Amino acid sequence: MKQGIKQAKTDWRSRLWMALGLPWLLLQTTQTKAQGVPQPDPVGGVKATMPALLGDTVRVRLEPQPDSLAAVPLGPAAIDSARLEWLRTPPTIRDLVCDRLGCIETDAPRQFNNAVLAYINLFTTSKRGYMQRVLEREGLYFPLFEKYLTQYNLPTDLKYLAVVESALIPTAKSPVGATGLWQFMGPTAGDLRLKRDEWIDERMAPEKATEAACKHLRYLYGVFHDWELVLAAYNWGAGSVQRVMRRTGKKTFWELYPYMPAETRNYVPTFTAIMYTMKYAEAHGLRTNNLNYQYAEALDTLGLRGQAFDLRRLSRACGYQDSLYLTRFNPELRRAALPAGYRSYVVRFPAAAAEHLGDVDRATLLDYCQPVAALPQPLVALPPRLAGVEPWANEPLLAATQGPRTRDEANGPRFRRVPHRVRRGETLASLAERYEVSQKQLRRWNELAKGQPLKPGRQLVVFVPLPDAAPRSTPEPASAMPVPEVIATATQPARVTPSADEVARQAQAEANAREMARMQEVTRQEKLQEARLAAIRQRQAIQQAAAEGQARAAARRLAQAAAAEAKLAEAKQAETKPVAAPTPEVAIDVAPAPTRDDKTPYTVRKGDYLTKLAREHDVSVAQVVAWNSLESEQVVPGQLLVFSAPADAGAAPEKRHQPAARPTLARNTEKSAGLDKPGGPAKVHLVQPGDTLFNISRRFGVSVGVLREINHLTSDDVKLGQKLLVPQG
């Protein structure tokens, strides 16, 4: 019974716990279900537990499968297309692609990430037709690429770069102008010595373009030493990549990835995806038996050395129905023909077509391949058609008439080139006067600076002007030789044009007459030129004779002055001796110096030189130098010169007649004797522009030595504004 009572108590307690715990369990279950139901978004949609697809208006709930590669969980941020493609791809496929890329032994870029996987899925699924067309041309160009890449010690897998650029189409051209298998721009092609003109573009030549691409890739690798950066620079330019590297401080492609344009960012992933897809094309079912695979075949060549050539005629001679069949072996030809005189070129055609040519030799084949019609030439500019005016009838008639062009040629200036070697003493002014030209013309012809002196021995060029050419002879009157009118108005009908023979005879007669008149005029001008030169030589001879006469007169005067001074010295010695009778006054006959009326100073002008000025004033160069205290024979414009002896020099002979006066022959003793020192107080003189110590001494009647002694001067140089003590007499 106790056991029954105990069991009843236990049942009652269990029922109590069940009554209390059941509501709590129901409450927890309701909250759990409420958490799993999407709640309304404040904007009006459904609150996204996963981010929405880019470009989609329908929000999709994506549940990532447990995968070690999906390290970053999905969040509220938007997912790009590459990341979305990564999430959609099963993990087993991602691991398989990653393992396959890791097994490729190459130095080319082969990093695996979501961008590479997105392009691999693109080329193996939706772009299968594109990849199959590329696989058809693989056997035609890849052996050529491998040959040059091996020759330049580059990774052979860089051959897939041509697929990225042009899809193995040699005539491919981008919207910006890049052309050929390797898509070279014009400046880059010029740097790589690929020739381009209106007939040939070597960017489309497979061999030349491939070799140029190898050179360019080798240069880029020498700059960056990283193949991913090399591919980016091949697309964007080496300078652009270097600028981004300097600005950001990044050193690898994936570090620079956010700072590059979209095309360059996708360039390296596209290259890696193309390389993977073509290497594992069979695994993805891209290679099938119904594809039209192309392979390289043996080719024969035909060298052209400037002959005109038509490729369509060679195609027919080789037995091809398509006249443009051979253009696929010569894709660099922009036209199917070459003009005569073009540079050397080698035409390629299949060696199997030689059986259609037979035993024909090269000369016969080139003759057959000559263009049937003339190749297009630049159009000749047509003269403007004016209403109511007829054009010239023909070329001979146009040559026989006098037109404005003929008159302009006849009235134009003509010159004769004359070489001249500079002699000692010649200046630009004397040469301009001699050849009757201006100094400005001489400076322009010989590239002389303004004020530059001429050095003896320099070779100059002078263009001596010649008179106008002889005018064309006027046509004979209508009675002697009728000249038909070739210009008519709309109201007056044109006259009958003469025959070609008459026009030719008339033109020949006109030409003969003009030639005779021209020869006569040239002869006359030569005689005038000879007479002009003879007059110049005569004038120079007269000037030289006058200069020699002046020099002889000056020498004679100097000799007479020396004799007079000797006599005065003898008279001085006679005076010192004791005599009983007074000595009579000695009269010295000295030839008077030539006097000139012009006593005013002369201002040197532009083009003057000392020899010319001395010749014009009938004095010697030595006298001008002595009277003006010049240090050299060079003068400058604006300088003041005196061409007569100072007043003291003229008064000296009169003092020599007075026996009581002391002679002034020994100037070297005036400082010791103190003869020129006048008494009285000294005066202060302020040096003015143009003053010299010699002029000041003559102005105040004292000697130069006295001025130097009083003012403690060591030379004859004075400065503007300097104060000098001048003794007063």
Side-chain angles (χ1 to χ4, degrees), residues 53-76:
L53 294 176
L54 292 178
D56 279 347
T57 58
V58 179
R59 298 181 180 270
V60 181
R61 177 185 177 92
L62 297 177
E63 296 182 358
Q65 301 179 5
D67 185 14
S68 59
L69 295 179
V72 181
L74 294 177

Side-chain angles (χ1 to χ4, degrees), residues 2-262:
K2 291 182 179 180
Q3 186 177 0
I5 294 172
K6 185 177 181 181
Q7 184 178 2
K9 290 182 179 180
T10 304
D11 294 341
W12 178 79
R13 291 177 181 175
S14 62
R15 291 193 187 113
L16 180 62
W17 281 109
M18 289 180 62
L20 295 176
L22 183 60
W24 182 81
L25 291 174
L26 292 175
L27 180 63
Q28 293 295 328
T29 305
T30 305
Q31 292 179 357
T32 305
K33 292 182 178 180
Q35 291 177 358
V37 177
Q39 298 180 4
D41 190 59
V43 181
V46 179
K47 184 176 181 180
T49 58
M50 297 297 296
L53 294 176
L54 292 178
D56 279 347
T57 58
V58 179
R59 298 181 180 270
V60 181
R61 177 185 177 92
L62 297 177
E63 296 182 358
Q65 301 179 5
D67 185 14
S68 59
L69 295 179
V72 181
L74 294 177
I79 301 178
D80 59 0
S81 58
R83 179 65 177 168
L84 181 61
E85 193 68 25
W86 175 276
L87 296 175
R88 284 179 174 177
T89 306
T92 55
I93 297 179
R94 291 200 300 264
D95 293 340
L96 178 62
V97 173
C98 182
D99 293 341
R100 287 175 177 176
L101 279 175
C103 293
I104 299 176
E105 296 181 359
T106 180
D107 294 333
R110 52 190 177 91
Q111 183 172 349
F112 182 67
N113 51 27
N114 53 1
V116 175
L117 180 62
Y119 279 102
I120 290 176
N121 290 338
L122 176 69
F123 292 133
T124 55
T125 56
S126 60
K127 295 293 184 180
R128 293 175 62 87
Y130 168 81
M131 290 306 304
Q132 287 178 343
R133 289 192 299 271
V134 172
L135 291 173
E136 289 179 347
R137 296 184 288 268
E138 175 185 4
L140 182 60
Y141 294 107
F142 274 13
L144 175 65
F145 297 164
E146 293 173 355
K147 167 189 170 183
Y148 281 100
L149 289 171
T150 305
Q151 179 180 347
Y152 282 89
N153 296 324
L154 299 174
T156 55
D157 285 334
L158 291 177
K159 61 187 177 182
Y160 299 106
L161 182 61
V163 180
V164 180
E165 291 286 350
S166 62
L168 300 183
I169 300 175
T171 57
K173 188 173 183 180
S174 68
V176 296
T179 308
L181 285 169
W182 300 90
Q183 292 291 288
F184 284 121
M185 296 293 291
T188 307
D191 295 339
L192 296 173
R193 307 299 176 87
L194 295 177
K195 299 179 181 179
R196 296 173 295 123
D197 54 31
E198 60 178 336
W199 300 99
I200 288 178
D201 190 348
E202 291 184 350
R203 292 180 295 176
M204 295 184 288
E207 290 201 16
K208 294 183 179 179
T210 302
E211 187 173 5
C214 293
K215 293 179 181 178
H216 189 50
L217 290 171
R218 185 177 61 178
Y219 160 73
L220 292 177
Y221 187 76
V223 175
F224 297 101
H225 299 283
D226 183 85
W227 284 116
E228 291 178 340
L229 291 178
V230 166
L231 295 183
Y234 191 91
N235 175 259
W236 195 22
S240 301
V241 176
Q242 287 176 327
R243 282 193 295 271
V244 172
M245 293 176 66
R246 287 194 298 267
R247 187 174 70 248
T248 61
K250 309 298 183 180
K251 299 299 181 182
T252 64
F253 172 79
W254 296 106
E255 291 177 346
L256 297 171
Y257 186 85
Y259 307 99
M260 292 183 176

Side-chain angles (χ1 to χ4, degrees), residues 527-541:
K527 291 181 179 179
L528 290 177
Q529 185 69 14
E530 292 178 358
R532 189 182 298 108
L533 293 177
I536 292 174
R537 287 194 293 269
Q538 184 178 4
R539 184 166 61 251
Q540 292 178 351

Side-chain angles (χ1 to χ4, degrees), residues 51 88 155 243 460 487 536 582 611 628 634:
R88 284 179 174 177
R243 282 193 295 271
L460 300 180
I487 300 178
I536 292 174
T611 304
N628 294 274
Q634 297 290 338

Side-chain angles (χ1 to χ4, degrees), residues 384-460:
R385 293 299 184 93
L386 302 179
V389 179
E390 292 186 1
W392 296 104
N394 49 31
E395 187 174 355
L397 187 61
L398 177 61
T401 58
Q402 293 183 356
R405 180 178 178 182
T406 306
R407 289 194 295 270
D408 293 342
E409 292 178 354
N411 297 333
R414 301 176 64 184
F415 297 90
R416 181 169 61 91
R417 182 188 179 98
V418 177
H420 178 82
R421 188 174 296 278
V422 180
R423 301 174 184 174
R424 187 178 299 276
E426 290 183 339
T427 60
L428 207 63
S430 62
L431 293 179
E433 180 183 1
R434 174 179 177 181
Y435 290 103
E436 298 182 355
V437 294
S438 65
Q439 300 183 30
K440 184 177 180 180
Q441 288 176 324
L442 286 176
R443 286 195 299 269
R444 185 175 68 251
W445 293 336
N446 299 277
E447 299 180 356
L448 297 174
K450 193 172 183 180
Q452 178 181 357
L454 297 180
K455 295 182 179 180
R458 176 168 181 172
Q459 187 75 19
L460 300 180

